[in-house]
Amino acid sequence: MMSLSRREFLKVTAAGIAVSVLAGPAMAGQQSDEADKWVKGVCRYCGTGCGVLVGVKGDKAVAIKGDPNNHNQGLLCLKGAMLIPVIYAEDRLLKPMIRKGGKGDKLTEVSWDEALNFAADRFKKVLAENGPKAIAYYGSGQALTEESYVANKMWKGGFKSNNVDGNPRLCMASAVAGYISTFGKDEPMGTYDDIDAATCFFIIGSNTSEAHPVLFQRIAKRKESSPNVKVIVADPRRTNTSRIADLHISFKPGTDLALMNGMAHVIVRDEMDDARFHGKYCNFMKGADAVTFEDYKKFLEDYTPEKVEAITGVSAATVVKAAKMFVESAPTISLWCMGINQRVQGVFANNLIHNLHLLTGLICKPGSTPLSLTGQPNACGGVRDVGALAHLLPGGRLVENEGHRKEIEELWKLPPGTIAPANGRHTIALYEGMASGDVKAVFIHCTNPAHTLPNLNKMTKGLQTAFVAMTECFKSAETVKYADVVFPAAFWCETEGVYGCTERRYALIEQAIKPSGEARPALDILMEFGKRVGVDPKLIPFANAADVWEEWRLMSAKSVYNFAGMTRARLKKESGLKWPCPTESHPGTNRRYVKGYDPLVPDNHPDPIFFYGKPNAKATIFLRPYVGPFEPADADYPFVLTTGRVIDHWHTATMTGTVPELQKAYPGAYVEVNPEDANKLKIANGDMVMLETRRDKMAFPARVTDTCMPGLVFTPFFDPKLLVNKLFHDAADPVSREPEYKICATKVYKV
């Protein structure tokens, strides 16, 4: 246990976690009282979904502050507080550009008509000569819901191509598959309010302090409120998150499945499970086969604390302590992010987190819930919910389900059989198909795959081969180097639309200012492009984003993703609402599957909990065996390399990198090396250190620190000058198809 005094605790939690509501304008050299009006919106960065108010004077955005009526209660992290300078960055892309002479030519500025026709003509040609499977759309969890809905409708209903995927495949697909396999439906049952009620936090695979700072501040505030609140952090690295932990579990990278099965073993062995709960509300499954609780107990015999110690390097006593703290310090909330999802067994890992809650009955109660943290601001509402992935249709429906296709065809007023019956290409298969020539044209929207894809040397071959049209706001985005057409998109508060964050909260970003230069709202770009390629205008009869939202809102009433009560007028008035929200008088839902809270549970249902996503109304506890990482360290590559975020930058730093204060704080990537390893390799702080994997090698300045355990090295991935994803493989989970970014084997040596 790490013991911190109150003063030390406050110092840790105050060190860059969250800033006051007016930090942004002060750092931007402007005063908040200059604003003539304040316009409501949502932060552009992570999946926390913090509400913001944008201060406008004349035709300029001059200030930003947190929305006191949203869940963040006026707080913003440093990145969010520095959003205003990003709007006016010199790097903004403000005119359409094309490569008239092909990939080797330079991008030149042209008119909108020329750019749209240039892209549309190529897509029409590909469709005519090669058919729907030869075109694709690659979207983003940063795009507005209305944009993703229209793109999905255009491709699957208009072009008859299911090649619709996006960067949420790289971050949240395993969480989606985990929720669906365990509960029958996607998205968490709990909300951020559970943070305030929890007395135990199980944080695994998440450096919440740096990736979701405002949420971490809320966790820290809850811990400070009572000595009874306990925090368990399971992470091979000793991060700022782990500094507030009562128990930090530093396991061998990639062995957390064994750890969680070990915790379950202790819970069952010591009769800390809730037999009445799992006996009534759960089924036990081994793969597709139903088994019994006794079978599950026998399965767990392979995960005694002693056996888990041999696999994970975590002492048997710590495994026991973690299990007991999880149960005895309840109510317990589990929080996780990319460290769990970005794995070749990411779905299994998600299932095992759910298992702990179902086994103990610590679920669907205040403070007790598994709550996956979302990496992007609209991966939930704008991709998962609208079905903008290769295997999905809107409202949780599946492409391969004939009944689901018929439902969507009727709702979209399409002839029967319009939607193709086979899944499209998921992200890795899509870029492989581009490289092979099977996919000849792709429209990339609101994302930077030339920086974010794994095994980049392989994946960028697809960008070099296929015709690439893209929307972008910043000239320096890595993917611009590969684009044949670049459409300048309006940025953030220059347009209007809905974001949906981690807790099922939908909130409206209202347009505060006009688009810069010749930039246009991406929704307008997408629809105009689609019409020029040949999409029937009757399929996309929308005059604006509000029209799109109205169609999607009414469609939602036909699914369990029901937010029919969230009219545009209501979203303008309120700072976000949580679905299900079936009527305009409904307040939104804090707790799914619970009678009296969830409007989809009938008032006359005989039980207080109803897992209606499953045919038999029972959640599933899975017998998921430990499977290690795809590429563990070995004699030739003896170190494990992992990657992640830093608090001052977000993803590929195309936005945060334009802010001098943020760029100065973290000007470039580095590699963390444990002092023990550094001593053996004669590496000192600041030395250039080579990381060499089976795919590539590159040199980083060293930070000698005990943040990493011996044998583990870490580097952030924001730096466009050091594209660390060139080092990682692209092996993926067989169910979710999400790649394992977090673990690969590497050599480490001084340059």
Side-chain angles (χ1 to χ4, degrees), residues 10 179 190 193 273 353 719:
L10 292 175
Y179 278 120
D193 288 350
D273 61 310
I353 295 172
D719 190 349

Side-chain angles (χ1 to χ4, degrees), residues 153-177:
K153 189 178 185 184
M154 279 170 41
W155 251 259
K156 291 173 182 170
F159 298 141
K160 302 180 182 180
S161 173
N162 291 334
N163 286 338
V164 175
D165 220 62
N167 58 26
R169 178 73 67 182
L170 309 177
C171 61
M172 294 307 300
S174 292
V176 173

Side-chain angles (χ1 to χ4, degrees), residues 349-378:
N350 274 266
N351 291 148
L352 294 187
I353 295 172
H354 299 321
N355 279 5
L356 293 173
H357 285 271
L358 293 168
L359 191 63
T360 57
L362 297 174
I363 195 166
C364 297
K365 300 172 183 176
S368 286
T369 191
L371 181 66
S372 67
L373 299 176
T374 313
Q376 298 184 87
N378 201 25

